[in-house]
C-alpha cells in the first residue's frame, strides 16, 4: 500500500467525515463510513504526522514516492523496478 506522510496541521478531509478504528493501543486508523476504504493511519498519542492512503486521494499520481519501507516483509513476487532507497524496517517513518 502506498502512503504519504503529512504534518497533522496541514491535512484535512474536504468532504464527509471519516470513521475511526483504534487498531491498537499504539495507533488508530480512519476509514470511509460508506465504502470502508482505509484513509489514514496515525499514532494514538502525541502524533505529529498522519499517513494518508495515496490511492484514496483525488489525484494520487501527484504524490511522488521518495523511498520504500518494510521491504523485509514484502511478498516474494512483488518487486518495484526503481532506484529509490529501500528500508527493511520503517526507515525514516520511524521518526515520524
Amino acid at each position: 500500500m502506498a502512503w504519504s506522510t503529512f504534518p497533522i496541521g496541514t491535512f484535512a478531509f474536504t468532504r464527509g467525515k471519516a470513521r475511526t478504528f483504534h487498531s491498537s493501543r499504539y495507533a488508530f486508523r480512519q476509514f470511509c463510513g460508506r465504502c470502508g476504504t482505509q484513509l489514514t493511519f496515525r499514532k494514538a498519542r502525541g502524533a505529529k504526522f498522519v499517513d494518508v492512503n495515496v490511492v484514496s486521494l483525488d489525484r494520487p499520481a501527484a504524490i511522488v514516492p521518495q523511498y520504500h519501507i518494510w521491504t523485509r516483509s514484502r511478498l516474494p513476487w512483488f518487486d518495484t523496478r526503481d532506484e529509490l532507497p529501500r528500508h527493511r524496517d520503517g526507515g525514516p517513518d520511524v521518526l515520524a
Side-chain angles (χ1 to χ4, degrees):
M1 182 177 283
W3 297 94
S4 188
T5 302
F6 300 94
I8 285 180
T10 66
F11 176 80
F13 293 104
T14 59
R15 282 182 274 157
K17 184 174 180 179
R19 307 246 350 237
T20 301
F21 174 68
H22 287 268
S23 56
S24 69
R25 291 185 341 196
Y26 172 75
F28 67 88
R29 300 166 191 273
Q30 291 179 297
F31 61 96
C32 175
R34 280 190 331 185
C35 71
T37 298
Q38 185 175 341
L39 302 171
T40 70
F41 172 90
R42 73 175 78 183
K43 292 179 182 178
R45 294 191 183 115
K48 296 178 182 171
F49 298 93
V50 57
D51 295 328
V52 178
N53 180 351
V54 171
V55 299
S56 70
L57 300 173
D58 290 335
R59 293 181 296 125
I63 303 293
V64 179
Q66 297 176 356
Y67 50 85
H68 300 285
I69 60 173
W70 301 110
T71 59
R72 170 181 36 213
S73 60
R74 76 169 176 82
L75 295 170
W77 50 260
F78 180 78
D79 188 22
T80 54
R81 305 270 182 206
D82 59 41
E83 299 300 321
L84 294 174
R86 285 158 170 65
H87 303 278
R88 290 178 50 81
D89 56 16
D93 289 1
V94 172
L95 301 176

